[in-house]
Amino acid sequence: MSSLAELPTPAALIDVARMQANILRMQQRMDALGVHLRPHLKTSKCPQVAAAQRAAGARGATVSTLKEAEEFFDAGIDDLVYAVGMVPARLPQALALRRRGCTLTLVTDSVAGAEAIAAHGRAHGETWPVWIEVDADGHRSGVDPEGEALLAVAAALAGGGARLDGVMAHAGSSYGLDTPAALQALAEQERARTVRAAERLRAAGHACPVVSVGSTPTALSAAQLAGVTEVRAGVYVFFDLVMHNVGVCTLDEIALSVLTRVIGHQADKGWVIVDAGWMAMSRDRGTQRQRQDYGYGQACSEDGRPIPGLCLDDANQEHGILHWRGDAGGEPLDRRFPVGSLLRLLPNHACATGAQHPAYQALRPDGRTEAWPRFNGW
Amino acid sequence: MSSLAELPTPAALIDVARMQANILRMQQRMDALGVHLRPHLKTSKCPQVAAAQRAAGARGATVSTLKEAEEFFDAGIDDLVYAVGMVPARLPQALALRRRGCTLTLVTDSVAGAEAIAAHGRAHGETWPVWIEVDADGHRSGVDPEGEALLAVAAALAGGGARLDGVMAHAGSSYGLDTPAALQALAEQERARTVRAAERLRAAGHACPVVSVGSTPTALSAAQLAGVTEVRAGVYVFFDLVMHNVGVCTLDEIALSVLTRVIGHQADKGWVIVDAGWMAMSRDRGTQRQRQDYGYGQACSEDGRPIPGLCLDDANQEHGILHWRGDAGGEPLDRRFPVGSLLRLLPNHACATGAQHPAYQALRPDGRTEAWPRFNGW
């Protein structure tokens, strides 16, 4: 336990009260829409954060690496979806986890992938639960819900060694939107295309019990989720400046920041130099093409209030440069922000910023902090 | 020891032969210019890489965090410069290292910083070796070599507790250049301004034995380094696509790549989906505004030959999207790059990409690989 002044900087600070409010908001919304919430744990990679999501009502979890699957299974979560297209080389690692008792669902969007999973299952006396990834918005992976590949992948799973348990989609293009109407329309498109894929599979004789959709912006914008059984979302647990620009959170709801100390000034340029560079913030420039560009982060006071006009406009590895965009008058910058003083920086992208840190510092409502470990790697 | 096919992906692969050639090239150049080479170890954060640089003739090292200082002191390097402006809150951590026998030189560019260091030294019976940072190019930190602050900072170090050992500059704006003439001119500016600062200090009665300059582009472009005693450079050990665009290395000299597997395709779009997203590559888009934009990386075959027209144009956390910019004819992408096949991706910025990985896989000339650990954090 320590106060902020005693923490080494830079540090990834979680405002626990904000995090709890974000978790509650999403869980209540999913409850109202009548679907399960399966949080994506790639955002935090932290057992304490996952435990808070479970305590609020989450069912199972989503992971982006088998390392996450292993760590969260060890932390007591036994219903996991590995939401990245499976390749043969990773099946032995997945099998080891399954043999330990984990319900590990795999994902594929190709006949070759489905055949490899099924063959591996048959060779090892396993029946892999598999979801077929559906393309909701042309964003990345997935089969066309109206195309032939959907049924061909399902057929490739039908010969033993695998079991088609569901379909999933991720409307990742939602990060590029910023109006409620556009977000609601994309949420409906994600829902409708994924449900349509499930209906075609059922008409072809497959059970397909699970219909899984999700991204934080669409989850918070969907008007209804008829036919959907569960939603996956990740970044809502912390939120960030990208989500603020998308329009799904206020600055005051962002629960992750980087605590930093002022290490110098270039007074004539209006620069404040801090000890959070891109190593602490990540190189993510996700707000660059959004309605407001925050550089590498929005500066806040030590107690978390945004300082209008002060953003991390440039970042070297261990140096951050805050450019003062505000009024040039008033107190000089080196007196207003003296060497050694503390600031917080709100991140563009919480998943990327968290990944730069070996642990979080969780700031409790009573002002005490404690270290919450996180992990990286594959 | 294992072959590439047995490695889990994504993996940060070091081509050891290329790395050794890069180390030799820089060391021979510094030897010819008559200066010491003090490599910046923030690029690799890896004891094996640092050992190769020492074996080739490096003298001491530069670090960007006290964690690096601790790790490399434990690895046997006892002459370290912590090249980030010192703040009072970090002095206890630095003192602990100094008490263990490390020659840890600190850096400052302000009277307040110098006073804090000197007061700490006096309070603890230490004499901190300190360099004054000089602004070579308006890039970031440092005092004007012609200004009053230079002498004021030196005076603040003169009352005990500290010893002015030198001046340093880093011409970081060299990363934005791409012609030999411009690079040579900036190298000369970096040299001249730093030497000028040392001369002014000596004229004022300070010894100032060390004159330290450096960045990889200026180090490889300087025509002469009269008055300079040592050069600091970091990324040369691996090089990367940014350095290739600057013009100081060929693609074939880039020693760091990310080994990745194909996990899917979107054939109609010309997309190959791989398991290296931004978590494996970093979010660094350093080539975005350079002469050639490589997206998040240039694809190479499994054996390291660049594949013209195939770049990682988009990246999600664990998904990378290679956009085929080449001829649409010929073999279909899913046959040319089948699911499960291996590729290497050259990174924009080696320091940022390395930081995403808990270890490197060092690929020996005989084709065997071994894990070389690296660390992160502060």
Side-chain angles (χ1 to χ4, degrees), chain B residues 135-159:
Chain B
D135 184 0
D137 57 353
H139 169 63
R140 186 170 72 195
S141 304
V143 296
D144 180 350
E146 305 290 351
E148 293 174 16
L150 174 71
L151 299 176
V153 175
L157 295 170

Side-chain angles (χ1 to χ4, degrees), chain A residues 9 42 64-65 87 89-90 138-142 263 266 269 275 283-284 316-319 356 378, chain B residues 9 42 64-65 87 90 138 140-142 261-263 266 269 275 283-284 316-319 356 378:
Chain A
T9 51
K42 73 183 177 72
S64 69
T65 65
V87 290
R90 253 195 276 280
H139 169 62
R140 185 171 70 196
S141 305
I263 62 171
Q266 294 286 6
K269 294 172 178 167
D275 67 1
R283 270 293 194 193
D284 198 288
N316 298 144
Q317 187 158 337
E318 298 291 348
H319 295 79
Q356 302 299 110
W378 291 272
Chain B
T9 50
K42 73 183 178 72
S64 69
T65 66
V87 290
R90 253 194 277 280
R140 186 170 72 195
S141 304
R261 280 190 172 84
V262 174
I263 61 170
Q266 294 284 8
K269 294 173 178 166
D275 67 2
R283 270 294 195 192
D284 198 288
N316 299 142
Q317 188 158 336
E318 298 292 347
H319 295 78
Q356 302 299 112
W378 292 272

Side-chain angles (χ1 to χ4, degrees), chain B residues 81-160:
Chain B
V81 173
Y82 172 49
V84 175
M86 196 66 192
V87 290
R90 253 194 277 280
L91 282 162
Q93 189 181 354
L95 182 63
L97 192 57
R98 188 160 169 78
R99 291 265 159 97
R100 292 176 56 203
C102 181
T103 300
L104 183 66
T105 299
L106 307 181
V107 168
T108 189
D109 68 351
S110 70
V111 170
E115 287 175 344
I117 293 168
H120 182 270
R122 288 192 299 272
H124 294 86
E126 287 286 346
T127 302
W128 281 110
V130 179
W131 292 355
I132 299 176
E133 186 170 5
V134 175
D135 184 0
D137 57 353
H139 169 63
R140 186 170 72 195
S141 304
V143 296
D144 180 350
E146 305 290 351
E148 293 174 16
L150 174 71
L151 299 176
V153 175
L157 295 170

Side-chain angles (χ1 to χ4, degrees), chain B residues 283-304:
Chain B
R283 270 294 195 192
D284 198 288
R285 285 285 288 107
T287 60
Q288 188 173 22
R289 282 173 295 185
Q290 289 188 307
R291 64 169 88 188
Q292 181 162 355
D293 184 352
Y294 291 97
Y296 288 93
Q298 167 67 51
C300 301
S301 59
E302 179 180 347
D303 61 359

